[in-house]
Amino acid sequence: MTGSNQRTRLRAMEPEDLDLLYRIENDVELWDVGTTSVPYSRYVLHDFLASSSGDIYTDKQLRLVVENEDAEVVGLLDLCHFDPKHLRSEVGMVIERPWRQKGYGLEALQQCIAYARRTLHLHQLYAVVSSDNEAALRLFAAAGFKSSACLSEWLFDGDGYRDAVVMQRTL
């Protein structure tokens, strides 16, 4: 899914994306912002790819690959904690280091918003962002998300707790 003037494209995960998934899921620097606390094996990630239906209603999540205009993979975008009753989903994204600060994250997030509104008919997207992740807070704000709550001492980084900000966007 891509817009006419976009440099990025969101696509479904393929078996060939196993190395990307392995690299991102096992990046310990990212563990502080998620719920991962142990490494994932290639076997477990292979099974995840093989068993995923690609249907957000079945899996309650949707993982998409972010590609640039040259079909190079620049990151992953997730819709997770999908709630079909209240028509909302959490959104999370990882843009790999070489591709950060180049606009790919914002374009991918804008495409995700359009897809969530037009295809999934969601009412709301939200993100839980570490209060000290200024780049992510700016990114979500640029995409029209508003800060709606502070979750005190929500994220543990191994040394201490940090606050998280709930960013919401009504579609």
Side-chain angles (χ1 to χ4, degrees):
M1 50 190 112
T2 185
S4 58
N5 60 354
Q6 301 267 319
R7 299 173 305 135
T8 59
R9 179 174 86 102
L10 299 177
R11 65 164 174 80
M13 291 202 74
E14 300 287 348
E16 296 79 17
D17 295 317
L18 179 61
D19 288 339
L20 167 72
L21 192 58
Y22 183 81
R23 189 170 56 247
I24 287 176
E25 290 293 349
N26 290 302
D27 184 342
V28 295
E29 291 181 22
L30 299 173
W31 288 2
D32 293 346
V33 298
T35 57
T36 300
S37 59
V38 296
Y40 284 99
S41 70
R42 287 184 186 281
Y43 178 80
V44 167
L45 294 172
H46 178 271
D47 278 359
F48 168 78
L49 284 173
S51 65
S52 176
S53 72
D55 177 9
I56 195 167
Y57 282 88
T58 301
D59 299 337
K60 302 297 186 260
Q61 69 174 4
L62 179 63
R63 180 162 271 187
L64 300 167
V65 173
V66 182
E67 290 184 337
N68 69 12
E69 63 271 24
D70 297 321
E72 297 170 300
V73 174
V74 300
L76 289 176
L77 185 141
D78 289 331
L79 290 173
C80 56
H81 302 120
F82 170 63
D83 184 332
K85 178 179 179 180
H86 300 291
L87 296 174
R88 65 177 171 242
S89 182
E90 182 176 353
V91 61
M93 183 170 36
V94 174
I95 299 297
E96 293 202 279
R97 282 173 197 80
W99 306 106
R100 292 179 186 166
Q101 305 297 317
K102 299 182 186 318
Y104 295 117
L106 181 58
E107 287 184 12
L109 193 51
Q110 289 168 333
Q111 288 178 40
C112 174
I113 291 165
Y115 176 72
R117 179 188 307 120
R118 293 183 191 135
T119 305
L120 300 176
H121 307 289
L122 296 185
H123 172 67
Q124 188 176 129
L125 292 173
Y126 68 95
V128 179
V129 181
S130 175
S131 62
D132 62 358
N133 188 341
E134 294 176 16
L137 292 169
R138 281 193 308 272
L139 170 69
F140 282 99
F145 285 69
K146 305 288 186 220
S147 172
S148 64
C150 177
L151 303 170
S152 296
E153 299 183 10
W154 195 255
L155 301 169
F156 184 67
D157 65 8
D159 293 323
Y161 289 90
R162 293 183 321 228
D163 295 350
V165 177
V166 178
M167 304 286 293
Q168 292 177 281
R169 165 126 186 205
T170 301
L171 308 177

